Amino acid sequence: MPTTLPVPIEFSLPEGWRAAPPDEVGAPEVAFIALYPQPDDGFTSNITLDGGFLRDETTMEELADASVQQLLGAAESVTVATRHEIGSAQSPGLTQRLTLTAVVAGVRRDLVQSQVYMALTDVTDPHRRALVRSILTATAAQHDDVLPDFQEFLRTVRPDTGTGA
């Protein structure tokens, strides 16, 4: 069963991308997954969303480091290509690009992940912070082609206030 996000959000998918049930595509640890319509040599680029609640002392850098460590458990190699803090003190965030080599479905692949971490403060309890992490995973050859779609997607991600705006 897929995980759920700690807060409701809304977003729009770029043209051509399609949502898929996380369990059915082998990604039960994510709350949402979208697939690109044109695989590259058998690998389908994807956008995933996951998240959780944060302890007050947890930094974005610690979360990003933990993500790298988790990938090291499944990949042959992982390198942090770039990492930048974004956002504000009230709503901090972080972006990082990782290059990795991993065996996926029996095939050794050079992949790139673009990860975006966004902390959101609970409007009813300002001492509670939620994290929403968006990840683009693509082959090294296709990453730069699908990155603009990921950036378009990120511009639409926002808390769902229930107003339909």
Side-chain angles (χ1 to χ4, degrees):
M1 169 169 238
T3 62
T4 57
L5 292 173
V7 292
I9 63 169
E10 58 185 43
F11 55 84
S12 298
L13 288 176
E15 187 174 331
W17 290 74
R18 67 174 177 82
D23 283 339
E24 291 179 20
V25 294
E29 69 284 356
V30 303
F32 176 83
I33 187 167
L35 305 173
Y36 188 64
Q38 299 166 339
D40 177 36
D41 194 27
F43 183 86
T44 302
S45 294
N46 58 81
I47 295 171
T48 60
L49 290 169
D50 64 15
F53 286 102
L54 299 172
R55 294 186 316 268
D56 281 343
E57 66 276 4
T58 304
T59 67
M60 291 291 120
E61 189 169 284
E62 290 169 332
L63 292 169
D65 287 344
S67 182
V68 170
Q69 289 304 311
Q70 181 181 9
L71 279 172
L72 280 169
E76 294 176 7
S77 67
V78 179
T79 302
V80 178
T82 63
R83 182 180 283 177
H84 304 284
E85 289 187 22
I86 59 172
S88 64
Q90 296 79 24
S91 186
L94 183 137
T95 65
Q96 71 177 359
R97 181 178 294 191
L98 307 175
T99 58
L100 57 136
T101 301
V103 175
V104 180
V107 178
R108 187 172 193 256
R109 303 211 178 260
D110 291 325
L111 302 173
V112 178
Q113 274 197 355
S114 290
Q115 302 181 344
V116 178
Y117 296 78
M118 295 179 285
L120 306 170
T121 301
D122 187 328
V123 293
T124 60
D125 180 0
H127 298 291
R128 248 178 108 160
R129 293 185 312 150
L131 170 76
V132 174
R133 181 175 65 160
S134 304
I135 302 173
L136 169 67
T137 306
T139 62
Q142 194 174 51
H143 182 268
D144 290 348
D145 293 335
V146 295
L147 183 60
D149 284 354
F150 184 56
Q151 292 165 332
E152 176 185 327
F153 167 78
L154 291 170
R155 284 190 289 274
T156 70
V157 176
R158 68 185 99 266
D160 184 353
T161 60
T163 63

